[in-house]
Amino acid sequence: MASFTPYTYIQCPCHDSTSQARPADDAPPATSPELSENDDDHAFDPRAHRSTFSLYPLEHLLYCDVCHQIRCPRCVTEELVTIYCPNCLFEVGSSSLKTEGNRCTRSCFQCPICIGPLAVQALDTPPDPTLLSADGASPIAPASWVLTCSYCHWNSSEIGVKFDKPQGIFGQLQKLRYGEEQSKHVVSGDTSPTKTDAIPENSKARFAALKSFYGSQTVNANPSAGLAGLGDYGLSSPGALTRIMSIYSGNGLGGLKQKNKSTVMREADAPNEGFQPSDLDESAAISQLRRDGWDGTVTGDQGKTQVEEGAQFADQLWPIPYLLRTKRSKRCPVCRHIISKPESKVSNTRWRIRLIANNWIPSISIKPLNPPPPGSGSGSDAGLLKPVHPAQFLLTFKNPLFDDVKVTLATPATTPGRFASRVTVLCPEFQIDANPDNDMYLDDVLKDGEKERQRRRGDEGIHQAEAGKIWERGRNWVSIVVEVIPASLRIEPPPIILQKEGDPEPDLSPLREDEDVLEIPMFVRLEWESEASHDQVGATISREKDAKEKRELAYWCAIGIGRISQE
């Protein structure tokens, strides 16, 4: 069995706000008032399905210093700061995304086989211009260029793609793939066809033809609308709603005119209108499959990374332009305060603003109070908790703030779930000293070294855990003792004497995944006093210079202690 590492996950308060969201007007209330009032009495269940999306490690959480609340990646509001190519690190403007798409147009491609970067190399050795040629000799043809992968040695000549010059690879590839006439519209993002009589040969051109055809049909079906078709303005224009309403109501802009009989719209039936019948003859694909075998087909991952779908064989794979990446800033969803913002420069990996929860919330570490000696126990049962045998663990809280913090802990008497283990916190209330300004902890280092020497000599007396007392205290950390009695994992029905009428049937299903993990839900409440911030709107400025403001923070956390032995 794999070794278990103790962990601590913190619940974001947005879990409660989403559960208490306002329902729709026509939807009945999810729960009655009696049930909603009793929800506060129930302990947090870390094994519930909803809890999976609200528990995060402390390193993944942010903190809003205006609302004084924890923020997770699900509840923050993101804003784009920079859009760039991850290969060439070229910054792209947001206006270019509508015209050029979300891929790099500066000759940055990935291998369609292994997703490695492609480089431009000369297929033929270029002639030396310094050498003299014989009189009357034919001029040497210019060199051809291909895209090659240095990892799997794939090159674009395998699919018949060669370039005339090493510059402008993206434009040359679009011309080879979509043709001379359609390449301009594919590169610029314009999907309107160039000629009404031209037959589109790719999916983008067919979509442009269909869009133009149905846009003209909309105008012809309702000429009283007085606006152009959908192909000219798009669905995001201000008149889109008027046009859509006029289609179904038959009214024009006047709204009071008498309804006219709507004209029946015909469907596209010509190739130049975007219509393409399905080709059900797969004899060519079957013969190619027999010739190339399994190695000549496209895998699922290779097909997903292609810009256009439909590739079945390896010779139908095209080089993949790099997808653009973004740098994003994060705001608090309540006060709109920026809690995370990176540097706008692409090559700079620093942060302008980064309010991580590590700097505001005490970290929690877990370790056994009396760890077993190394080498004890068998290989399969090493580090497992014995059922119905008490075990004590040390919870160490480390304060990152420059103020003293009062901590109040609360846990249910038994853990939720099918196998209820007993939990007892010996010291539920304690205070942690402030974090010192300097980084020199010489006194703590000397004190810890002296204690270790005393323990080796046996001079130190037996230190026992007592209720209401902390185990150990440091400069800005406190250790307390938590006692657990793991439950038995035997699946058997309860005795008939303990069964009552109306009780649900016991769950006798086999042991589920990670159901043997002893996970403790713990409610943590923090109280501290810090300097009053007067930059908020409506804050009263105190006359005292050393005015203190009391702050509180409460949250649930899930602490994973270990695995219970399945004896």
Side-chain angles (χ1 to χ4, degrees), residues 10 58 357 360-364 397-400 405 407 432 526 555:
I10 296 178
L58 184 59
W360 300 86
I361 301 176
S363 61
I364 305 175
F397 293 78
K398 190 173 182 180
N399 180 20
V405 177
V407 182
I432 312 176
L526 307 176
Y555 55 89

Side-chain angles (χ1 to χ4, degrees), residues 408-412 425 428 521-524 556:
T408 304
L409 306 178
T411 57
V425 180
M522 181 175 291
F523 185 77
V524 182
W556 280 96

Side-chain angles (χ1 to χ4, degrees), residues 177-195:
R177 186 171 187 177
Y178 300 110
E180 186 72 24
E181 296 181 353
Q182 296 291 340
S183 61
K184 298 180 181 180
H185 299 269
V186 173
V187 174
S188 62
D190 186 9
T191 55
S192 59
T194 55
K195 297 181 180 179

